[in-house]
Each structure stands twice: as C-alpha cells, then as structure tokens.
Amino acid sequence: MDEEKFGQYLKKIRVAHNVSQRELAKNVGVDFTYLSKIENGKLEPPAEDTIKKIADYLGENADQLILLANKIPSDYKEVLKSDPQIPFMLRRIGNFTNTQKKLLFDAINDIDRRKN
C-alpha cells in the first residue's frame, strides 16, 4: 500500500467490498462523480472526516487511509502535543529496524494489556 496512490487504493478496496461508486458516495455523503475523480487521480483525497466515513462504510482502517492521503489524523496532533518526549521518541523510532519496531510494538501492547 505504501507506493499506491490514495485513489487507486480506494478503488481497489471499494471493488473488493463489491461496492459501487454510487453506493459508496451516497453512504458517505458525496457525489459519485467526485468519488470517481478521486479514484482516477484527478482530484486530491477528500478531507479527513470523509475519509473516516469511507473507512467506516468499507470496514477499513481509517488511520491507514488518512495517512495514505498524506494527511495526519487530527487526534495524532493532540498526542504529539501532550508530552514533549513523544516527538523525540518518534524521531528515534524512525531509525529503528523492522525487528526493533516489532519489539517496541509488542512491548507497547504488553503494557497496554497489563493496565487493563
């Protein structure tokens, strides 16, 4: 998915869910021609709220779609502002290997499970 454009990916998942452009457009509150132009790369990806509606309707991960649209989910901004160490940690993680990232992800999940 990394190299795929938002519109291409949207079309792929829409078709995989056997949903027409008209059906998706109607259920997320946009015109189907607008959706067609996005899928064909003639328009930029929609706003975050529309992407969330699309993800919800198709049962997809909204954060992944928002990031694929080259946008930062709005709630991420609040997390970044909440603690000055978070941006530092993110910069460091960017240099981690995939193995290190998996270890960190597993540790975070383990911590999260223990708090519940």
Side-chain angles (χ1 to χ4, degrees):
M1 183 166 94
D2 292 338
E3 295 182 16
E4 206 164 15
K5 300 277 189 221
F6 178 85
Q8 294 170 324
Y9 186 73
L10 175 58
K11 182 176 183 176
K12 184 168 88 176
I13 61 173
R14 178 183 59 74
V15 169
H17 287 282
N18 200 28
V19 173
S20 71
Q21 283 180 339
R22 285 184 190 271
E23 178 185 348
L24 180 58
K26 178 183 174 193
N27 283 283
V28 300
V30 298
D31 190 273
F32 83 93
T33 58
Y34 172 70
L35 196 58
S36 175
K37 289 177 183 175
I38 290 169
E39 287 186 359
N40 290 308
K42 301 210 186 298
L43 286 178
E44 294 294 316
E48 180 179 342
D49 62 327
T50 302
I51 294 173
K52 286 180 177 180
K53 289 176 188 176
I54 290 169
D56 185 51
Y57 188 76
L58 296 176
E60 296 288 327
N61 183 300
D63 286 342
Q64 287 181 344
L65 286 179
I66 293 166
L67 292 170
L68 184 60
N70 289 320
K71 300 173 187 280
I72 303 294
S74 56
D75 59 333
Y76 284 23
K77 294 173 187 172
E78 294 306 314
V79 172
L80 286 169
K81 291 180 195 177
S82 70
D83 186 329
Q85 293 180 338
I86 293 174
F88 170 77
M89 289 187 291
L90 288 174
R91 284 189 187 94
R92 295 289 304 271
I93 293 166
N95 295 321
F96 282 16
T97 65
N98 286 339
T99 301
Q100 291 171 314
K101 288 176 187 175
K102 181 172 180 350
L103 287 169
L104 181 59
F105 182 73
D106 291 346
I108 290 169
N109 281 333
D110 187 46
I111 291 167
D112 197 41
R113 276 190 298 273
R114 288 180 188 189
K115 77 174 185 184
N116 295 329

